[in-house]
Structures are given as structure tokens and as C-alpha cells.
Amino acid sequence: MPRKRLGDLLIEAGLITPEQLEKALAEQKVTGRRLGEVLTQSGVLSEDQLIEVMEFQLGIPHVDLDRFRADPAAVELVPEALARRYRVIPLKRSGNRLTLAMVDPLDYFAIDDIRMTTGLHVDPVIATHDDVDRALEQYYGLKQSVTEVLKEVRPEQVDEEQVRAEDAPIVRLVNQLIEQAADGRASDIHFDPQQQAVAVRFRIDGVLHTQMRLPKHLQPVLTARVKIMANLNIAEHRLPQDGRIQLKVRGRPVDVRVATLPTIFGEKIVLRLLDVRNAVTRIEDLGFSERNHAAFLSMIGAPHGIVLVTGPTGSGKTSTLYAALHHLNAESQNIITVEDPVEYQIDGVNQVQVNQAVGLTFAVGLRSILREDPNIIMVGEIRDEETAEIAVRAALTGHLVLSTLHTNDAPGSITRLMDMGVEPYLIASTLRGVVAQRLVRRVCADCREAYRLAADEAELLADWGLAAETLWRGRGCTACHRTGYRGRMAVHELLPVNEEIRALIAERRPAAEYRRAAEEMGYLPLVHDGLQKAVQGMTTVREVLNVIVDEG
């Protein structure tokens, strides 16, 4: 790489004048700060302009560290002191080459120093100041906090001051773990007690990844700190407890649900992270096909009746309901929900939190809602006969009721309501439609590649009336944790209830007959929607088959 000076490049690009450069160089001599830092902090040019010059004039790639995860093995190659001194993050090693994210990729002293330290050729890429500072705390700060905790904490002893003082190492450690999980798009943090250690695992895109293993003697102080944050009883170790933490990560609000569970090796703790940024607010963002999108809008556009969303835990049912509420939310509508828990707050919607301890169940809440003159009611889940009966009565009296059920497919929700004790004629009169869904992982956009599909894949697609010459998959990169997938999307099947299906329901026919009747009017099951998205390059056939079990 030619050793061009940054100041000359900026003048050539017309971003600064020779006088501004001279003034910045003088300030650089006094403060010792980098030239780019002096120029951006004085407002002479923006950091984006600085990056653009180095990216296009010198061909140095720009990397977004929020999307690109550093390889822990590469991080180990560069000592923390060196990384902080030069503000660099080792990203990956390929043979004898080390990719290094730098605030100043023209700092040749830094490049030479790291080359001498690691014995590897350095390939610099550019990252913003804020990204590098966050990454330094993420990759090096966490290690430092663990070291400090190990120095302070004595085995099997919890000093309450250690877990309450905001500057205590254990406090910093837990905060950093939550920040790292939020930055990495994790939905859950698991603290798993084992015989000799405590495993810290993050669930990302539905898959658990072990982040680190902490020494066993840190378990009591770690458990105590999380309990204090969630206002739980730190002296109670025999019974499960549930709590909540509200905090800000990088300036954005994150709601954390905490659940503890006694095991033979101590208390297991799971933290569920609800990041407002990830809340789906538009039906268009749910991933419906064009046909399913139109059918869903028709379902929730009914003035009264019941619309159900079904699927297992963690299949995105609540997100679908929230998107529907956002769509229906208007000043002319009185919308009330009863949820367990209230995951995201919606302006203009009255949301009620279930509280079993004081007797506020779904059924009690729903019964009270009916006295509040609602137009639209959302019930987080129909769990029992009482809740189902009240929901049906509400739909019969002119309300639109949205709720969820735990069933494998859309037709199965009808028999599930019957099994709960709801009369078939009531279901036939009130049910407007059912959405069944699952979440599948998206092919990573950073490492996706086309491939010619195998014979068994072609045969499978043909069985469902689909065809393709090539499909897409991810090779695996640091951005996707080497999985080939990044992010998730929903696949759906929709069952609108027409007059023919109503007649079958009233006669208490089996679910297979509802399915056959639906197929005659174009019903397509979950696996078809999933395979269609694989053909479109959004996911893979293997992922669809792993997540969806075709029972047809």
C-alpha cells in the first residue's frame, strides 16, 4: 500500500484547505491526537467524509463492527494494551494474514507494531471511532471485568456490597454481558450452572451459542447480582422466581425478563431481551406472501369475530398480533389487550398485564375488558376453557378478538377449541380465520452464494409444484457466527373460514376435512410457503425442513 499522507488526500479531494490542514497539524503536535480525529472533532469534516476518502481513494474497505463479529481467536493474537493504544480490533486470521479494523488505517507505526507482535501480515480495514470503542469494551473489557471479579470474589461467599455498588466488577461484568448480547442481536442470555463451571450462552436467531465459561465459585455472586437487578429475593434458592429489568443499552431502551430455576448444580437464570428496535410494527414487515398478506388483511378487517395466530413458543405469534394492532390502531377504535407479559408498549392501546399472584388471569382480565366498551380485544393466549368461552362470547357480541393458540397448524386450532369445551356452533359463528407460523433463519447477506440444487431438493420442490435451477446458502462468516444464517423470518399458512368450513365445524368434523376443504380454495401449508422462500433465496431448503414438520 502506497504511503500517502492523509492531509494530502483530503486536500486532493477538496474536503479541506491547506490552511485548515496546517492548523490541524499544529493542534496535533500539541495534543498528540490523530490528524483525522482533530479534523472531525473540530467540525472541519465529518467522519463519514474521512472514511469515504480512505475507502475510495486508497481502496481500504469500510467495515460495520455492529454487523461483523470478530473471531475470538484473532482477538487473542493482539494484547489489550496494544489494541487500546492504537484503537484497533483484530477481526479474523486467514493463513498468515490478519484483518485489522482501525480508526486510522494510515497509522503505519501501528501496523508495523502489530505485524511484529503477531508475526502476521496486516490487512487494514476502516471502522468508526464509536464502533471501535464499543468493540474494545466488548472484546477486551469483558475479559478485564472477569479478571477483576476473580480477584475480588472469594469462593462460596457473597458480599452484598459487591453486588450492589455500581462500580463493582460483578456489576460491570453483568452489564457488559447484557450489552454484548444486545449488540449481537441475542434474544436470550442463559446462565447455565454446571458441575465445574457456569456456562454463559446467547440465543441468536433461535440457536444457542456458548460465549464463555466462568469459574464455579462466581455462580453465587453472579446469581445475586441478577436477582438484585430484577428485584428478586436473593435469599430464596429453592423456588423459581420471575422478575424484570429495565435499562438502556447504547442509549436505547431494553426490557429484560428474568426467570430463575433451581437445578441440582444451582440456579439456572434466563434473561429474555426485548429490544424496542426489533419490534415489528407493520404487517408488510411480517414476510407474508402476496396472497397471504391480502387474506390476513381481510381477516382482521372484519368488524367482529375471532382471528387466531398459532404456533409453538418462540414462533413470532406476538409480533404478528402487535403488527395487526398497529394496523388497526385509530382514534375511532377502543383497543384493549390482556397480555402475559406486555412485551412492547403501543401508543393509543390500553394494555393490561396478567398478574397471577393477585388473581388477574386472562379470563378475569378479559371479563373486565368487556365492561370497558372495547371495539378490538387482544388476548395474549387462550389457555383454558374459561378464557376461550369469554373470547367467543365477546366475538358474538360485536367485538373483534385477536389471540394465540398453541397448535401445529391452522386446521388443528379448530379441534383444539373443541377440545377446550367450546361448542362447535359457537366456533362456526365467530371464527374468521387462523394464521399458523414458524420462524426460519435467513441466509446471511454477507456470505450468500448460489449453488446448483441436488436431485433430492429438486424432487422435493417438484412435489410442491415449485422449480429452480439454483438455490442460495451462506458459506459462513464472522458476521453470522459461521452459521451461514443471519436474522429470521416467518413462514405462514392461512385458513380463512368460509361457509363450507363453517358447516364442517358445526358438524364437528375432524381437522383433515377442514384441510381438504381449504385446499380446494387454494390453502397452502407452511412447508410450501417455506420452500417458496427458499426458491426466492431468502432461506434454505434444509432450514425449512428442520423447522417445519409436514403433517399433510
Side-chain angles (χ1 to χ4, degrees):
M1 184 173 63
R3 299 205 168 196
K4 295 182 180 180
R5 293 188 301 179
L6 178 59
D8 294 336
L9 285 172
L10 294 172
I11 291 175
E12 288 174 17
L15 294 174
I16 65 171
T17 65
E19 292 74 24
Q20 288 173 322
L21 175 59
E22 188 176 341
K23 182 179 178 182
L25 288 171
E27 184 176 341
Q28 183 188 24
K29 288 181 180 178
V30 175
T31 62
R33 291 183 298 167
R34 295 178 178 84
L35 178 61
E37 189 177 356
V38 172
L39 289 168
T40 54
Q41 291 190 357
S42 63
V44 172
L45 78 163
S46 69
E47 191 168 17
D48 286 341
Q49 289 174 315
L50 181 64
I51 289 173
E52 187 175 341
V53 165
M54 287 188 276
E55 186 171 11
F56 293 105
Q57 297 289 331
L58 297 178
I60 301 174
H62 171 225
V63 64
D64 181 353
L65 293 182
D66 284 338
R67 299 186 64 225
F68 198 104
R69 179 176 170 77
D71 186 341
V75 173
E76 288 292 331
L77 295 171
V78 179
E80 180 181 353
L82 212 57
R84 290 187 181 277
R85 184 195 312 163
Y86 294 123
R87 294 178 85 177
V88 300
I89 297 293
L91 295 180
K92 65 177 181 178
R93 177 181 179 175
S94 300
N96 68 338
R97 307 185 77 88
L98 177 68
T99 302
L100 193 68
M102 307 179 68
V103 169
D104 181 4
L106 297 180
D107 186 345
Y108 302 110
F109 292 110
I111 292 172
D112 287 344
D113 201 349
I114 291 171
R115 178 179 57 80
M116 294 290 291
T117 302
T118 62
L120 301 173
H121 180 83
V122 173
D123 294 323
V125 296
I126 188 170
T128 66
H129 286 78
D130 289 344
D131 277 2
V132 170
D133 287 345
R134 281 201 303 271
L136 284 169
E137 289 309 309
Q138 179 178 344
Y139 297 114
Y140 291 103
L142 198 60
K143 185 193 299 184
Q144 182 179 345
S145 293
V146 172
T147 302
E148 291 177 0
V149 172
L150 289 172
K151 288 179 182 177
E152 281 202 9
V153 176
R154 292 180 292 277
E156 306 303 324
Q157 186 172 353
V158 177
D159 181 347
E160 195 152 328
E161 184 62 29
Q162 286 181 330
V163 294
R164 291 189 182 275
E166 288 303 313
D167 60 345
I170 188 63
V171 174
R172 288 199 301 274
L173 175 60
V174 173
N175 290 344
Q176 286 169 339
L177 284 169
I178 294 174
E179 288 176 0
Q180 185 173 340
D183 289 342
R185 303 174 298 102
S187 60
D188 304 87
I189 305 173
H190 289 236
F191 294 106
D192 285 340
Q194 300 172 349
Q195 190 167 12
Q196 303 295 335
V198 179
V200 181
R201 302 197 289 169
F202 292 173
R203 187 178 295 280
I204 301 173
D205 295 336
V207 179
L208 280 170
H209 303 268
T210 299
Q211 297 298 114
M212 62 171 61
R213 281 183 167 80
L214 299 173
K216 183 69 174 178
H217 75 268
L218 293 187
Q219 184 176 329
V221 70
L222 183 66
T223 302
R225 176 55 193 168
V226 174
K227 285 184 174 181
I228 284 172
M229 294 175 73
N231 292 315
L232 301 179
N233 183 358
I234 65 172
E236 177 57 73
H237 305 291
R238 299 166 299 173
L239 296 173
Q241 298 185 67
D242 295 307
R244 179 179 179 181
I245 304 169
Q246 289 181 300
L247 71 165
K248 286 193 173 183
V249 175
R250 318 289 184 212
R252 65 182 187 267
V254 175
D255 200 5
V256 182
R257 304 302 164 94
V258 179
T260 71
L261 179 70
T263 75
I264 59 172
F265 294 128
E267 289 176 275
K268 174 182 172 65
I269 304 177
V270 175
L271 279 61
R272 166 148 290 188
L273 278 59
L274 302 173
D275 191 337
V276 175
R277 296 181 312 166
N278 299 327
V280 177
T281 59
R282 302 191 324 141
I283 291 175
E284 291 75 15
D285 297 332
L286 291 173
F288 281 120
S289 66
E290 188 174 340
R291 177 193 184 97
N292 287 343
H293 180 260
F296 186 62
L297 288 179
S298 176
M299 287 179 191
I300 64 173
H304 55 81
I306 297 177
V307 177
L308 295 175
V309 183
T310 77
T313 300
S315 59
K317 300 187 297 295
T318 303
S319 294
T320 300
L321 289 182
Y322 277 165
L325 290 181
H326 275 283
H327 178 80
L328 297 168
N329 194 8
E331 191 174 347
S332 60
Q333 302 292 322
N334 179 20
I335 304 176
I336 308 179
T337 75
V338 54
E339 307 171 59
D340 183 22
V342 173
E343 293 192 6
Y344 301 107
Q345 297 175 12
I346 306 174
D347 288 339
V349 174
N350 304 284
Q351 296 172 270
V352 178
Q353 170 86 41
V354 165
N355 188 341
Q356 301 281 355
V358 298
L360 179 53
T361 62
F362 277 118
V364 171
L366 183 51
R367 192 178 288 111
S368 300
I369 284 173
L370 293 175
R371 296 193 288 269
E372 297 292 329
D373 187 31
N375 299 103
I376 300 168
I377 299 168
M378 192 268 269
V379 184
E381 184 183 346
I382 294 178
R383 295 179 178 173
D384 51 45
E385 180 181 355
E386 185 180 11
T387 307
E389 289 281 2
I390 301 169
V392 167
R393 298 293 177 185
L396 280 174
T397 53
H399 303 91
L400 178 63
V401 179
L402 310 177
S403 191
T404 70
L405 268 181
H406 284 280
T407 60
N408 289 329
D409 58 11
S413 61
I414 299 171
T415 52
R416 176 80 177 112
L417 288 174
M418 292 181 187
D419 291 343
M420 284 183 174
V422 182
E423 290 296 331
Y425 75 91
L426 291 176
I427 301 172
S429 301
T430 57
L431 191 61
R432 291 288 171 264
V434 184
V435 179
Q437 66 181 60
R438 301 288 191 277
L439 292 179
V440 296
R441 291 178 292 173
R442 288 181 179 271
V443 173
C444 176
D446 289 346
C447 63
R448 69 195 298 260
E449 62 180 9
Y451 71 97
R452 184 166 293 277
L453 67 169
D456 59 337
E457 291 175 320
E459 185 178 344
L460 176 65
L461 292 180
D463 288 343
W464 290 97
L466 299 169
E469 290 187 3
T470 58
L471 295 173
W472 292 85
R473 63 189 173 198
R475 293 188 307 274
C477 64
T478 53
C480 62
H481 302 271
R482 306 289 177 189
T483 62
Y485 300 97
R486 182 176 170 84
R488 289 194 290 177
M489 63 187 300
V491 295
H492 308 90
E493 65 180 29
L494 270 73
L495 177 67
V497 178
N498 62 5
E499 290 305 317
E500 183 180 352
I501 293 178
R502 291 187 203 287
L504 295 173
I505 294 172
E507 295 173 9
R508 200 187 283 267
R509 295 294 182 88
E513 294 198 29
Y514 309 138
R515 181 187 288 274
R516 279 196 293 270
E519 285 173 348
E520 291 177 4
M521 62 178 184
Y523 161 88
L524 296 171
L526 278 165
V527 68
H528 184 279
D529 192 45
L531 292 175
Q532 180 69 59
K533 288 181 166 75
V535 168
Q536 294 167 353
M538 301 179 191
T539 186
T540 65
V541 170
R542 176 180 295 180
E543 175 68 3
V544 171
L545 296 180
N546 283 344
V547 172
I548 304 168
V549 178
D550 177 33
E551 298 175 353

